[in-house]
Amino acid sequence: MKKTNHESGSILLAVLLIVMVAVAVVGAAYMATTGQIRLTSRSADMDSLETTGEGVLDYAFGKWKDAMDSNGLMTATDANALVSGSNRPAVPARMQIVSLSITPVDANGVNSTDAVKTYDYKMSFVYTYVASVTLQTSGVGGLRTMTLRRNLVYTSVPPTRGMFFSEGDFELYKPAKMVIGGDVHTNASAHISTGTSSSNLTFLANSKVTYVGSYDNGIPAGGTAWSNSGTNYPPTYETSLASQVKKVPDIAGIGLGTAAEYNTTDSNPNNDGNRELIEPPVAGYPDPDSIAASRIYNNTGILINVSGPVDQTATLNVTNGAYTGGNISIKAQNGTTLTSAQATAIRNAVTNSVTTQVQTWVPNMVWVTSGHYTGSGSHKTWVDTSSWVDQGHYVTSNVVTQKTIYDKREVASVPITDLNLGSIVPTLNAATGFNGIVYMYDSGSSDQKAIRVTNGGVLPNAGLTIATEDGLYVQGDYNTGTTTNPNAVPSNASPAANASTTVSGYTTKSAALVGDSIMVLSNSWSDSNASSSVGSRNASNTTLNTALIGGYIQSTNGGSNGRSGYSGGMNNFPRFLESWSGDNMTFSGAFVSLYKSKQFTGSWDTGDIYVPPTRYWYFDTLLLSRVLPGIPATGGFVRGPLSRM
């Protein structure tokens, strides 16, 4: 039957609808597929941008760190030049660096043209730069752009901001009962244990132990040869080991850029490591700028050099800015000026000569005629016995030599020069422009020499750092206000935890003693007993308020003079030479072990060397805010977390 036009139109409309639906379905499927492709492509592109951006910022960190190590703090212009033009790193194909910068910022994150010093909670200097990169790539759907940022942080850390700072291994092996209330850091490994029980060595909650190498409660080299009795216990951590003991990056150098200059394999003696801090530069060799800037010898306000027995009657002549004469030179520098009278006062406080009487025979040859006859009668013969006879006499004369001190640990008589500090405090207070640093050394021919500070109870008003490349002995109370009677210091009269370490009315000054090694002699020390048995070298209660910065002896399996080879640990960082049995050493400050001892290398032991004191030792929290004259900071570099803008 023939269809009507109406029916044909309905069929056509239905077909058209089916086709339209099919097209719509296909179109929707196409659109969904394309969207998914775009999303997938975008995700992959953004992941690639982020991975590449992180790599670019790591590259920027490396360039910045190397430049800071070598040249010090940088301006924005210098920092940006590190990653500009041909200095930019390569990136994958279809990707480009739109912008890349390194910019110093202030404490609020605002860009600055110069490095800005801020402070952390422990008064360290913190310098922050921001590295920023914007990357672009093309993909399905168009261009992708991403900006990433990362803080680059240099922290300048005073090594005196904690109780102990050690460049070598930090060792406490079965020490006498100790409570440690300040931070501990070692750029090497920490070996910490105790005998008797774990409570014999306690780290309070405010004491953090940070290390670079490893941490254990094991026995250091030479330890078993010293003592292998009893159980080796771990110490007690007041909060917990997990919260108080951390592995951290190296805190290196003696100032920004110094570590990058160190080289012990070349012929230059002026770049060998942290001990450059206390050494004069060796003439005829280059002195790297960063190391030269950290040398206390270069930064001192008053430079004292002795070259033999000091003659206090000699005239001081001014030569090249130095008062010189009688085997001593006193030079003011770095803004300090000294009058002739002030230089003479300093010279008169320096003693190192010994006068002894010597009987010298003065000959006087006289011809004495004599003889006799032999035989008898007419056969007598004259025998002439005439001869020259010395009829001289003895003449008494004075011979001046340099004074020595016998050191039982070194098993040697050491040439020593004394500085009576109390007698020159008025001079230092009055010296125009004095920066608080005295560097003193003995340039004599001996390989082992020492400076000794005496009468150091009262320091100059602005504080004082005394430094030397030689060994440094400190005798008696230091920075306590003591003038004549040590018992005026409560920590000496009635030693106890938290006893006052100063006489009434005295405020401690910023203080540091720096040398090849630090030897502490009590208020009762006598040179005349130095070579006697330890029972004849009896100490008395003594108090020190100062940072001690010196060298260490590394533990070995076998030491000199038949000793164990164990270093003695950080508890014996200040070296003792007396019997402190029943006596107390009270200390408030910080111990900083920055380099190996070069002159005083005798192995540690007790025996006839010393009997340990009762130790009342505290970290001086004033060191968190005090600046110690001439003491440069160590430093560490940190990459902050990655942030996506």
Side-chain angles (χ1 to χ4, degrees):
M1 184 175 64
K2 185 177 180 179
K3 295 181 180 177
T4 66
N5 291 335
H6 176 75
E7 289 175 328
S8 297
S10 296
I11 293 171
L12 179 61
L13 179 61
V15 171
L16 289 173
L17 287 173
I18 292 171
V19 171
M20 289 176 64
V21 170
V23 169
V25 170
V26 171
Y30 173 79
M31 292 296 293
T33 301
T34 302
Q36 183 61 43
I37 290 172
R38 287 177 176 173
L39 288 174
T40 302
S41 176
R42 175 179 176 78
S43 178
D45 289 342
M46 298 305 282
D47 286 346
S48 179
L49 286 171
E50 184 167 359
T51 300
T52 302
E54 185 172 3
V56 169
L57 293 183
D58 284 345
Y59 168 86
F61 173 77
K63 297 281 286 186
W64 170 80
K65 179 180 181 298
D66 288 345
M68 290 275 284
D69 261 338
S70 300
N71 305 313
L73 296 171
M74 290 180 291
T75 65
T77 299
D78 292 336
N80 277 304
L82 299 174
V83 290
S84 298
S86 61
N87 289 328
R88 287 186 173 182
V91 293
R94 296 188 303 105
M95 191 180 293
Q96 62 176 333
I97 296 176
V98 177
S99 65
L100 176 59
S101 63
I102 303 176
T103 307
V105 297
D106 64 16
N108 298 313
V110 178
N111 290 353
S112 173
T113 56
D114 295 300
V116 180
K117 177 172 62 178
T118 57
Y119 298 89
D120 72 1
Y121 74 106
K122 288 190 174 179
M123 300 306 293
S124 301
F125 298 157
V126 179
Y127 300 89
T128 303
Y129 293 70
V130 172
S132 177
V133 61
T134 298
L135 293 168
Q136 193 173 79
T137 188
S138 58
V140 176
L143 296 175
R144 321 285 190 209
T145 302
M146 180 180 290
T147 298
L148 297 169
R149 297 180 60 178
R150 169 169 271 159
N151 284 355
L152 312 181
V153 181
Y154 173 78
T155 303
S156 180
V157 185
T160 54
R161 79 172 190 178
M163 185 72 200
F164 297 102
F165 184 103
S166 180
E167 181 65 22
D169 286 348
F170 177 82
E171 298 173 338
L172 285 177
Y173 175 53
K174 297 185 178 179
K177 188 176 181 66
M178 291 183 69
V179 176
I180 297 177
D183 286 343
V184 172
H185 174 79
T186 170
N187 275 338
S189 296
H191 309 292
I192 305 175
S193 63
T194 181
T196 309
S197 70
S198 60
S199 62
N200 210 46
L201 176 59
T202 301
F203 289 83
L204 299 180
N206 66 338
S207 180
K208 303 296 186 292
V209 177
T210 55
Y211 62 93
V212 174
S214 61
Y215 172 89
D216 60 57
N217 307 126
I219 302 173
T224 54
W226 169 60
S227 172
N228 58 7
S229 61
T231 303
N232 202 35
Y233 291 94
T236 294
Y237 290 97
E238 194 170 60
T239 303
S240 69
L241 183 146
S243 63
Q244 290 182 249
V245 179
K246 301 292 183 184
K247 186 177 176 70
V248 297
D250 186 32
I251 301 176
I254 52 170
L256 185 59
T258 54
E261 300 286 359
Y262 295 161
N263 188 341
T264 59
T265 63
D266 65 9
S267 60
N268 186 0
N270 290 327
N271 62 353
D272 290 342
N274 284 349
R275 199 178 185 278
E276 301 294 348
L277 174 71
I278 63 169
E279 295 178 349
V282 179
Y285 294 89
D287 193 15
D289 290 343
S290 57
I291 295 176
S294 296
R295 290 187 191 278
I296 301 179
Y297 176 92
N298 293 341
N299 294 318
T300 188
I302 298 176
L303 180 64
I304 305 173
N305 170 226
V306 298
S307 54
V310 174
D311 181 0
Q312 294 185 331
T313 66
T315 300
L316 290 177
N317 299 306
V318 179
T319 305
N320 296 325
Y323 292 92
T324 304
N327 292 324
I328 190 170
S329 171
I330 301 167
K331 184 179 182 181
Q333 56 188 35
N334 291 311
T336 304
T337 59
L338 291 175
T339 65
S340 177
Q342 290 171 330
T344 300
I346 293 172
R347 188 274 308 274
N348 292 343
V350 177
T351 57
N352 69 349
S353 62
V354 175
T355 302
T356 56
Q357 289 188 334
V358 176
Q359 298 289 324
T360 304
W361 178 260
V362 179
N364 181 22
M365 303 304 293
V366 177
W367 181 261
V368 177
T369 302
S370 63
H372 62 276
Y373 285 99
T374 62
S376 61
S378 60
H379 299 290
K380 289 181 178 179
T381 304
W382 175 257
V383 178
D384 188 356
T385 58
S386 300
S387 65
W388 289 98
V389 177
D390 188 351
Q391 294 183 356
H393 61 283
Y394 282 101
V395 174
T396 301
S397 61
N398 293 331
V399 176
V400 179
T401 57
Q402 188 162 343
K403 179 169 59 176
T404 63
I405 182 174
Y406 191 81
D407 188 303
K408 277 280 187 175
R409 174 165 170 169
E410 299 300 315
V411 196
S413 293
V414 180
I416 191 168
T417 299
D418 288 331
L419 175 65
N420 184 336
L421 186 56
S423 69
I424 63 169
V425 166
T427 298
L428 299 181
N429 281 332
T432 302
F434 178 53
N435 63 5
I437 311 170
V438 171
Y439 185 94
M440 182 174 174
Y441 70 114
D442 184 342
S443 60
S445 59
S446 176
D447 291 333
Q448 191 177 52
K449 298 156 289 188
I451 305 300
R452 175 167 55 183
V453 179
T454 63
N455 193 19
V458 176
L459 299 190
N461 297 331
L464 183 66
T465 290
I466 296 179
T468 181
E469 68 169 336
D470 304 320
L472 183 60
Y473 294 84
V474 54
Q475 181 173 328
D477 289 348
Y478 197 80
N479 197 20
T480 57
T482 309
T483 53
T484 56
N485 179 19
N487 284 328
V489 183
S491 55
N492 288 339
S494 300
N498 300 315
S500 175
T501 61
T502 65
V503 301
S504 178
Y506 181 78
T507 301
T508 62
K509 311 302 189 296
S510 297
L513 294 170
V514 191
D516 175 82
S517 51
I518 310 294
M519 281 68 69
V520 174
L521 307 175
S522 79
N523 284 304
S524 294
W525 173 264
S526 171
D527 284 0
S528 61
N529 294 330
S531 61
S532 302
S533 64
V534 68
S536 299
R537 290 177 274 123
N538 292 312
S540 62
N541 299 335
T542 303
T543 299
L544 280 70
N545 295 300
T546 181
L548 298 181
I549 302 175
Y552 63 93
I553 302 298
Q554 190 168 337
S555 289
T556 61
N557 288 308
S560 60
N561 299 302
R563 297 169 187 165
S564 67
Y566 171 49
S567 71
M570 207 64 173
N571 49 314
N572 288 297
F573 172 70
R575 305 181 189 185
F576 302 112
L577 295 169
E578 298 167 270
S579 173
W580 292 78
S581 179
D583 298 305
N584 304 271
M585 178 194 168
T586 303
F587 176 86
S588 178
F591 296 122
V592 180
S593 175
L594 274 181
Y595 38 79
K596 290 182 181 179
S597 294
K598 186 176 179 180
Q599 291 191 28
F600 283 69
T601 58
S603 297
W604 170 87
D605 213 329
T606 51
D608 196 40
I609 301 174
Y610 79 106
V611 177
T614 299
R615 299 174 175 93
Y616 291 102
W617 288 1
Y618 312 97
F619 171 61
D620 184 357
T621 55
L622 289 174
L623 291 174
L624 297 178
S625 57
R626 279 180 167 171
V627 175
L628 299 182
I631 306 304
T634 54
F637 295 92
V638 176
R639 286 177 294 185
L642 197 68
S643 59
R644 181 170 162 179
M645 309 306 293

